[in-house]
């Protein structure tokens, strides 16, 4: 019996002295904790990354929508904000996870504390976007949490005061087709409707901040002939073709800001040359649609960009506005090379965009077939005008969203509405705290 107790005592003493198992247990516990912490860091990191991406797209959607608050067509801001969201099928759709727009959003607001009127088609001055997504977890799923819901909210509003500083060059189609009537514009000619629209644009921008100039195509025969586009006589300018040897003049009016006396003026200045050109200064005169050389706009776009760089202010956003039906088909007697005329217009606009210029296009009765000197997908005047625009929000159409060449972002019904919406876009926008009222 004593031998048994002695043997047990020796075993117990050996167990007490042997601590190697304690170390192993501690290592196991430490490794488990470290793995758990690492997994938690991964979960938190994934949520942070998803939250940041969701917020960025919400900001983009809110700012895009805010630029079109109170556009001529009510609800355009809502549609635009939705189009620029991260939800499936939209311009900023997430490629990583499914994003949904929270019910009731985008939502228009009339904020009383920001000093901007809510008057207009939407009776609003701000828009709120709220998006949501589910982020899968790794560590938390051990506790029954397989996903974490992330929500991002962004509020954007029209800026108070003057429009943002811009250097705007309008490039206007004055081919013979602009003399035809426009049933969407009270039976006025297309040119007259364009002039009305241009006056609407000038009424909506700030002369303190912005300047505007004008070019035409076909080019005129000389600077003196170009001046007939802004005198008060009935004389029409002589034109040239698009051949380099013909030395046609695209420039009609340089950048200027005399179209309004000041930012608060309710009327345009009748003695301003650009106001006269747009039929707002005298009973006779103004731009003429002479025609006779066909349509080709690539060189006019290039010339507009050259002039904006050469004479525009360096710290101001450059803008080109092209108005045309997009069907570039000048024949060999008026152009050095007839090949790929619509594609060349797209390329000219791409070069301007690459240099930082915003390019807006207004498709006037553009068709889905034409551009006969192009090939393949480029035999499409409507597509050419779409591709010329910097992005979908900068593409307008006289089809009002129901014709052969609609603009989803800008469903205006006539040129006056298109130019009015342009002026609205030129107003500044800003992000606001989501708590502002």
């Amino acid at each position: 019996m004593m031998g048994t107790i002695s043997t047990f005592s020796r075993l117990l003493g050996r167990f007490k002295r042997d601590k190697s198992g304690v170390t192993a247990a501690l290592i196991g516990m430490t490794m488990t904790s470290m793995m758990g912490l690492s997994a938690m860091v991964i979960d938190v990191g994934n949520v942070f990354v998803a939250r940041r991406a969701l917020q960025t797209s919400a900001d983009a959607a809110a700012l895009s929508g805010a630029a079109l608050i109170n556009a001529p067509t009510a609800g355009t801001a809502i549609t635009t904000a939705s189009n620029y969201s991260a939800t499936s099928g939209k311009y900023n759709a997430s490629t990583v996870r499914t994003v949904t727009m929270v019910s009731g959003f985008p939502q228009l607001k009339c904020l009383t504390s920001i000093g901007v009127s809510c008057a207009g088609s939407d009776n609003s001055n701000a828009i709120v976007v709220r998006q949501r997504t589910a982020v899968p977890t790794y560590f938390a799923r051990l506790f029954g949490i397989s996903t974490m819901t992330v929500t991002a909210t962004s509020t954007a509003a029209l800026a108070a005061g003057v429009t943002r500083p811009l250097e705007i060059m309008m490039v206007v189609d004055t081919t013979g087709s602009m003399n035809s009537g426009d049933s969407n514009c009270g039976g006025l000619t297309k040119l007259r409707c364009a002039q009305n629209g241009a006056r609407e644009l000038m009424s909506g921008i700030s002369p303190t901040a912005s300047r505007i100039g004008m070019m035409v195509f076909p080019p005129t025969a000389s600077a003196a002939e170009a001046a007939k586009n802004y005198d008060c006589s009935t004389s029409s300018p002589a034109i040239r073709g698009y051949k380099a040897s013909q030395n046609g003049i695209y420039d009609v009016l340089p950048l200027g800001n005399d179209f309004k006396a000041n930012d608060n003026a309710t009327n345009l200045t009748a003695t301003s040359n650009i106001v006269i050109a747009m039929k707002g200064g005298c009973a006779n005169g103004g731009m003429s649609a002479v025609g006779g050389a066909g349509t080709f706009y690539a060189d006019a776009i290039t010339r507009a960009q050259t002039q904006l760089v050469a004479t525009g202010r360096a710290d101001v956003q450059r803008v080109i506005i092209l108005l045309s039906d997009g069907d570039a088909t000048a024949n060999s007697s008026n152009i050095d090379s007839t090949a790929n005329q619509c594609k060349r217009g797209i390329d000219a606009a791409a070069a301007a965009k690459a240099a930082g210029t915003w390019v807006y296009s207004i498709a006037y009765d553009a068709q889905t077939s034409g551009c006969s000197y192009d090939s393949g997908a480029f035999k499409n005047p409507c597509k050419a005008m779409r591709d010329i625009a910097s992005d979908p929000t900068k593409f307008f159409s006289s089809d009002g969203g129901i014709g052969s060449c609609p603009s989803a972002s800008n469903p205006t019904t006539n040129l006056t509405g298109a130019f009015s919406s342009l002026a609205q876009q030129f107003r500044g926008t800003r992000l606001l705290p989501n708590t502002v009222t």
Side-chain angles (χ1 to χ4, degrees):
M1 180 70 176
M2 290 296 294
T4 301
I5 293 174
S6 178
T7 301
F8 179 75
S9 297
R10 287 195 300 271
L11 288 172
L12 184 61
R14 186 183 300 170
F15 176 77
K16 290 167 65 180
R17 291 190 299 271
D18 187 359
K19 301 182 183 296
S20 61
V22 174
T23 303
L26 287 172
I27 292 174
M29 292 173 63
T30 302
M31 289 296 292
T32 301
S33 298
M34 290 179 65
M35 291 175 66
L37 287 171
S38 297
M40 186 179 296
V41 168
I42 291 173
D43 280 350
V44 173
N46 280 341
V47 169
F48 177 82
V49 171
R51 176 73 173 77
R52 184 64 263 165
L54 197 66
Q55 188 64 57
T56 299
S57 61
D59 290 346
L63 286 169
S64 297
L68 292 172
I69 292 172
N70 296 324
T73 301
T76 301
I78 293 286
T79 301
T80 302
S82 297
N83 286 340
Y84 277 82
S85 70
T87 59
S88 178
K90 304 304 182 182
Y91 301 138
N92 291 314
S94 173
T95 59
V96 178
R97 55 185 55 87
T98 300
V99 175
T100 58
M101 188 70 69
V102 174
S103 179
F105 293 87
Q107 185 180 101
L108 289 168
K109 295 278 190 179
C110 181
L111 304 177
T112 59
S113 63
I114 64 173
V116 178
S117 170
C118 293
S121 61
D122 294 317
N123 295 312
S124 305
N125 58 15
I127 189 168
V128 182
V129 172
R130 184 169 295 164
Q131 302 180 132
R132 179 177 293 156
T133 190
V135 183
T137 64
Y138 297 92
F139 175 71
R141 69 178 55 240
L142 298 175
F143 301 95
I145 304 173
S146 58
T147 61
M148 297 181 70
T149 299
V150 177
T151 301
T153 303
S154 183
T155 302
L158 295 169
V162 302
T163 52
R164 68 188 74 181
L166 303 168
E167 301 282 38
I168 305 168
M169 190 62 73
M170 287 193 296
V171 181
V172 183
D173 185 339
T174 55
T175 58
S177 63
M178 294 294 285
N179 287 317
S180 59
D182 182 355
S183 59
N184 289 325
C185 198
L188 297 175
T189 66
K190 293 178 179 179
L191 180 61
R192 186 64 180 270
C193 191
Q195 290 168 315
N196 289 352
R199 295 201 308 274
E200 187 77 16
L201 171 64
M202 289 186 286
S203 295
I205 61 177
S206 160
T208 300
S210 302
R211 301 191 301 172
I212 189 166
M214 188 179 83
M215 294 193 175
V216 297
F217 63 93
T220 58
S222 65
E225 292 300 315
K228 293 180 181 179
N229 281 299
Y230 57 87
D231 61 18
C232 287
S233 73
T234 57
S235 301
S236 296
I239 65 164
R240 294 275 173 84
Y242 303 100
K243 290 185 175 183
S245 61
Q246 293 175 313
N247 297 315
I249 304 294
Y250 293 99
D251 306 57
V252 174
L253 288 166
L255 295 167
N257 65 347
D258 65 348
F259 51 90
K260 282 199 301 188
N262 54 62
D263 292 337
N264 297 319
T266 56
N267 296 314
L268 297 176
T269 303
T271 55
S272 165
N273 286 336
I274 198 163
V275 174
I276 294 171
M278 299 306 170
K279 210 72 175 177
C282 49
N284 297 316
M287 281 193 302
S288 299
V290 179
T295 301
F296 179 66
Y297 40 77
D299 287 351
I301 294 172
T302 299
R303 178 62 184 170
Q305 174 65 13
T306 298
Q307 286 298 86
L308 285 172
V309 172
T311 63
R313 294 164 289 176
D315 58 343
V316 173
Q317 177 62 54
R318 297 188 295 267
V319 177
I320 293 173
I321 303 172
L322 172 68
L323 170 66
S324 176
D325 65 5
D327 194 11
T329 54
N331 61 37
S332 57
S333 63
N334 290 305
I335 194 169
D336 293 317
S337 171
T338 59
N340 302 318
Q341 294 181 46
C342 290
K343 176 62 164 56
R344 284 153 65 186
I346 296 170
D347 291 344
K353 288 180 246 180
T357 299
W358 292 344
V359 182
Y360 289 79
S361 66
I362 304 175
Y364 207 156
D365 288 348
Q367 304 300 308
T368 54
S369 62
C371 295
S372 56
Y373 291 108
D374 286 76
S375 60
F378 295 105
K379 295 179 73 67
N380 187 329
C382 175
K383 181 183 185 304
M385 294 300 286
R386 287 183 192 277
D387 290 349
I388 282 168
S390 293
D391 62 64
T393 68
K394 295 178 176 61
F395 171 67
F396 292 79
S397 172
S398 64
D399 277 339
I402 59 174
S404 61
C405 187
S407 170
S409 296
N410 302 296
T412 53
T413 57
N414 55 53
L415 280 191
T416 302
F419 278 105
S420 177
S421 187
L422 262 176
Q424 187 72 23
Q425 286 197 25
F426 290 158
R427 292 183 63 181
T429 58
R430 52 180 168 154
L431 291 173
L432 297 174
N434 295 319
T435 55
V436 71
T437 58

